Amino acid sequence: MSHAQDLPGWAALATAALVLLGAALTLIGAIGTLRLRSFFERIHAPTLGTSWGTGAILLASIICFSALGSRPAVQEILIGVFISVTTPVTLMLLARAAIYRDRTEGKGEVPPRAAPRRPD
Amino acid sequence: MTGAILLWSVAAAQAMLVAAMGCCTYRLIFGPRAQDRVLGLDAMYVSAMLLVLTIGIRTGSTVYFEGALIIAVLGFVSTIALAKFLMRGEVIE
Amino acid sequence: MSRVLPYPLLTAALLLMWLLLTSFSPGQLILGAVVAMGASRAMASLQPDKPRLRRWQIIPRLLGIVTLDILRSNIAVAGVILRGGGRDRRPGFVAIPLELRDRTGLAVLACIVTSTPGTAWVEHAPDTGVLLIHVLDLVDEAEWVSLIKHRYERLLMEIFE
């Protein structure tokens, strides 16, 4: 726990604020998966954690390790890029799976296909 | 003084992230449908990755970064596989 | 040039990633370059469509707009969740006729729409170009259509088409 005393004051405060912000956003998103009523409403909730929740904590990590001087910390950007590219893919696939299941079972408020698909 | 503020707020953030994982675990267990469970699993992976990052900030050690990256990759692949499974009933066609 | 380095951008990005994950040294530079070139050769055998960037100067502007929009809708969605889903909120699907046809542009639009809290990409019909999105707080359907079309689609069409 000695590294916390080595940090300059502004870096410690910025890290603390950003970590709290990111964790709070992630928690609100997780609460959203509990409280919202239908699946398509719930699919919006995790994006809170994956957009600015992740972004704030990564920024805190960058500030913390750059100020400690152990490394010029930019590796966290890799996680940021990775998360922001992969989250839409997973959520899109999940939404398509859900809409497919709803349509085959014929329930839910899902609108029908916009146009008949051309034969591939 | 600022060091104590940092340690306490990181501890609070870790508690919030664990609570977030708890909410996702509820969705994972109680559904009600399969897609809700997969969504819960995906959100849980993200919270776990952020928790590992905060552990890294708390201990001042850089090895946790690799762990967080691996969790992110595994979460992506497993959610994709599960979503494929929901859509087609099989993962590899 | 095109035989040795089929995808120069991809090779450079992979090398950069390698150097970020390991620490910089001449040995790691050579090893990373070998791995990046091998990976981009493997990518060439998959023969994906090469995305063409018409006007890359607009990309920073698009990034700025998207970052601010995500921040704003983060606050909005956090408010919706904390208020506990009041009776006045009405979620729903919106169908948007898109003119954007470029596949890379559509992929970027999908990333933008999905990573913005409050909107989720559900389905896109490639033959008609109709996009179906789900909106958490649907007040005015026409407003969402014009938001997607004028705010993002126009810029993406300038960049990619």
Side-chain angles (χ1 to χ4, degrees):
Chain A
M1 288 297 143
S2 60
H3 77 281
Q5 269 72 40
D6 301 340
L7 273 178
W10 62 269
L13 289 180
T15 308
L18 282 170
V19 162
L20 281 178
L21 173 71
L25 275 175
T26 312
L27 179 58
I28 290 172
I31 291 172
T33 59
L34 279 188
R35 287 181 88 166
L36 296 173
R37 283 178 299 251
S38 72
F39 173 76
F40 282 103
E41 285 173 68
R42 284 196 280 268
I43 208 166
H44 297 291
T47 50
L48 278 178
T50 57
S51 56
W52 272 89
T54 307
I57 289 185
L58 289 177
L59 209 57
S61 179
I62 290 176
I63 291 175
C64 176
F65 285 109
S66 299
L68 277 177
S70 54
R71 59 190 166 128
V74 278
Q75 292 136 316
E76 277 82 358
I77 296 174
L78 272 185
I79 293 188
V81 170
F82 185 79
I83 288 288
S84 58
V85 168
T86 56
T87 308
V89 179
T90 53
L91 291 185
M92 227 182 300
L93 261 178
L94 257 184
R96 286 187 56 189
I99 212 166
Y100 173 77
R101 283 166 68 95
D102 278 0
R103 274 176 187 156
T104 47
E105 289 168 20
K107 63 179 179 188
E109 80 285 37
V110 180
R113 278 201 81 87
R117 198 178 201 169
R118 271 186 306 202
D120 293 322
Chain B
M1 180 58 201
T2 50
I5 292 176
L6 176 62
L7 287 182
W8 275 106
S9 50
V10 169
Q14 283 176 334
M16 281 196 266
L17 287 171
V18 169
M21 285 180 75
C23 296
C24 301
T25 312
Y26 177 88
R27 266 294 156 230
L28 186 62
I29 295 174
F30 293 104
R33 303 195 64 202
Q35 52 262 44
D36 292 299
R37 295 173 204 261
V38 180
L39 188 69
L41 183 72
D42 187 49
M44 199 165 91
Y45 260 113
V46 174
S47 314
M49 185 206 75
L50 294 178
L51 189 61
V52 171
L53 276 177
T54 51
I55 293 175
I57 295 176
R58 193 187 166 99
T59 56
S61 154
T62 57
V63 292
Y64 289 99
F65 165 78
E66 273 90 4
L69 196 58
I70 289 171
I71 291 179
V73 174
L74 282 181
F76 171 60
V77 174
S78 59
T79 316
I80 289 284
L82 285 169
K84 273 298 268 178
F85 180 75
L86 289 187
M87 197 142 48
R88 304 268 187 224
E90 51 194 313
V91 178
I92 301 167
E93 297 170 27
Chain C
M1 178 67 189
S2 63
R3 291 279 303 275
V4 183
L5 278 177
Y7 296 95
L9 260 180
L10 177 72
T11 313
L14 281 174
L15 179 57
L16 187 68
M17 193 182 121
W18 184 277
L19 290 179
L20 280 178
L21 281 175
T22 59
S23 52
F24 182 82
S25 68
Q28 294 288 2
L29 181 69
I30 295 171
L31 192 57
V34 170
V35 169
M37 278 165 70
S40 62
R41 292 287 281 277
M43 185 79 181
S45 66
L46 289 176
Q47 295 179 327
D49 293 338
K50 251 191 172 173
R52 290 160 317 200
L53 292 180
R54 291 267 179 263
R55 294 175 60 193
W56 54 269
Q57 303 92 326
I58 318 178
I59 293 177
R61 203 173 117 211
L62 182 70
L63 269 182
I65 291 178
V66 170
T67 312
L68 280 181
D69 280 359
I70 289 178
L71 183 61
R72 210 171 332 132
S73 53
N74 257 308
I75 297 166
V77 172
V80 165
I81 290 172
L82 289 181
R83 264 182 275 124
R87 297 284 172 274
D88 50 339
R89 187 176 54 85
R90 192 167 59 91
F93 292 90
V94 183
I96 300 167
L98 287 183
E99 287 151 45
L100 184 67
R101 284 292 183 274
D102 185 79
R103 294 174 70 175
T104 318
L106 283 172
V108 176
L109 183 65
C111 280
I112 294 172
V113 168
T114 312
S115 58
T116 310
T119 52
W121 178 288
V122 177
E123 193 176 45
H124 175 255
D127 40 5
T128 52
V130 173
L131 164 70
L132 193 66
I133 66 171
H134 186 268
V135 179
L136 185 60
D137 194 358
L138 184 65
V139 181
D140 183 10
E141 203 165 316
E143 196 182 318
W144 282 101
V145 174
S146 79
L147 177 85
I148 299 283
K149 282 193 82 72
H150 293 124
R151 208 170 169 83
Y152 305 126
E153 194 195 5
R154 196 173 43 80
L155 281 177
L156 284 171
M157 281 175 83
E158 276 182 48
I159 293 173
F160 288 108
E161 286 185 353

